[in-house]
Amino acid sequence: MASRSQSVSGARRLIGLILGDQLDHQSPLFTKINQQTDSLVMIESSHEAQTVWSHKARIALFFSAMRHFADDIKSKAYPLEYIKTNDALVETLRVYLRTQGATELMAVEPGDYRVQQEIEQMCQAEKIVCTWLEDTHFYCTKKEFAAWAHQKKELRLEFFYRMMRKKHNVLMEGDEPLGGRWNFDDENRKPYSKKGPGLIPPPLFIEPDEITQKVIQEVQEKFTDHPGELDDFVWPVTRKDALLAIDDFLQNRLIHFGEYQDAMWTQTPFGWHSLISAALNLKLISPQELVDKVVSEGLLQKIDLSTIEGYVRQVIGWREFIRGMYFLDMPHMAQANYFKNTRALPKWYWTGQTKMACMQDTVGQTLRYGYAHHIQRLMVLGNFALLAEVMPQAVADWFLAIYVDAVEWVELPNVAGMALFANGGRFTSKPYIASGAYIKRMSNYCGACRYKSEQRYGDNACPFTNLYWHFLIKNQQDFNKNPRMKLMMANLNKISEDEQKEIVLHAQSILSHIDQI
């Protein structure tokens, strides 16, 4: 795929750009570059880390991984210039292209709509040819996804997922799914026992090398006002480290990943999860090799098929699906606000200083590691933001800033589309909402909380529970039309009119004092 602005006369001078989340050793850019006449550039922009008020660990991860990748590329005799700057990425690139007398800029298509638009506009103004290479990291191209979506009345993961399994022959027996079922999701929702999760092997801790130590020190000194901590920096920053992390997961935690992937417990930040998403989204590893390893090792160990399928679905299914949706629906996706919510994000999303035990733990571990697993993000953080009527853009900005694995193509559809229903169900059939009862069932958070998950209103009422019923009351006319909301609305109809009024009054109190709950 290529997007070209007006060319200029004279000798051809090509510059290849490697963006910070394109640390792909198999990048098609390397096959296009003439090592004798062309050159490569990487730009480490502190300005980008401040445009998104990033978690310290997110900044350190990007900068360390970029520096390691740059050293590796230079060792292979590629002519690479690595620029560290306090200025904006695109302005720095503009100046560099001018000084090099560039006639053409070539790069793999970005995963951030804004970055792509800004680069194209800059190249147009500078009369430089801009060539985008198709991103071969993914299973599914943007063009392929758009063609699939064009044929569908409803855009749902399950249909796409089955198509991908068939096309790439993953967990298949001929034309049928291995084990006779496409989806084992119902078997992958277990909470831990009442005694707790027991002993879970910790993720592989890779001692920060000299480059990473230097980056951590620089981030501590330069980004002092940014959220988060760096004392527990555990993230792979090289391909070698990422492969070690995968092997550690396969040998030690894959076995129980499936059944407990939704479970939550205090002081259990990682559970049985792989912690591979950051390396995957930086493209240090490919989804194809990850899926191949999970399938082959899982079958070899005779791990339950529900666990193997659950992991595969996240990678070849959901990850590919939301990337397709991002590029299909931008820029509207970033602006959508189906419920017209306008409230500011509660201040304690940045501090964890709230009386809600689930939020204390989830935000607390997020600030410490830059990590929370998908149910904590969806059913705690995202769920509350939707019930509290927070503006979708504020929530998406927070998620993009706070998590080490966040790049916009993956973060925005998950937050705006799935967690917040901001696009009105473009690819989800109902809002992902739940009361405190769900959190109590899936965690031990509620036991020591000052709020009571079963109470709908009153001084001890759980804010999740109160706001859940308030949300249904407020939107009942809309939700009565949704077949997937039938059970929720039937339960609402069992609540008396007087009690519903009490719920609304208490919700108004919560929402007007949201920073103090």
Side-chain angles (χ1 to χ4, degrees), residues 77-96:
Y78 281 97
L80 171 69
E81 183 155 358
Y82 192 91
I83 301 173
K84 299 177 185 178
T85 179
N86 293 323
D87 297 327
L89 183 149
V90 175
E91 286 309 307
T92 302
L93 180 60
R94 184 198 303 271
V95 172
Y96 179 74

Side-chain angles (χ1 to χ4, degrees), residues 67 84 209-219:
R67 293 182 194 183
K84 299 177 185 178
D209 64 8
E210 185 177 348
I211 292 175
T212 301
Q213 289 177 16
K214 185 176 181 181
V215 168
I216 288 173
Q217 182 180 353
E218 290 175 6
V219 172

Side-chain angles (χ1 to χ4, degrees), residues 28 63 69 111 129-130 211 220 233 265 309 321 346 380 462 467 513:
F63 286 1
F69 188 78
V129 174
C130 179
I211 292 175
Q220 293 281 34
F233 189 87
W265 202 265
E309 186 277 323
F321 179 79
V380 179
C462 171
L467 294 179
H513 300 89

Side-chain angles (χ1 to χ4, degrees), residues 408-429:
E408 193 178 71
W409 68 262
V410 66
E411 171 272 326
L412 185 61
N414 271 308
V415 176
M418 189 176 188
L420 303 180
F421 205 73
N423 58 5
R426 171 86 160 129
F427 56 84
T428 54
S429 57

Side-chain angles (χ1 to χ4, degrees), residues 184-194 196-197 200 255-265 271-273 304 306-307 373-375 438-444:
F184 291 82
D185 191 40
D186 289 344
E187 297 172 29
N188 291 336
R189 299 176 179 178
K190 295 179 183 177
Y192 297 125
S193 76
K194 292 182 179 180
I200 302 175
I255 187 170
H256 291 304
F257 162 77
E259 57 188 327
Y260 296 126
Q261 64 176 296
D262 288 4
M264 300 176 284
W265 202 265
W272 295 92
H273 287 260
D304 195 281
S306 64
T307 284
H373 71 63
H374 64 277
I375 289 299
Y438 173 84
I439 296 173
K440 184 176 183 178
R441 183 169 69 253
M442 297 305 299
S443 75
N444 71 330

Side-chain angles (χ1 to χ4, degrees), residues 242-260:
L243 291 172
L244 289 173
I246 292 173
D247 289 342
D248 175 78
F249 167 66
L250 295 178
Q251 296 303 318
N252 296 309
R253 294 189 309 288
L254 175 62
I255 187 170
H256 291 304
F257 162 77
E259 57 188 327
Y260 296 126

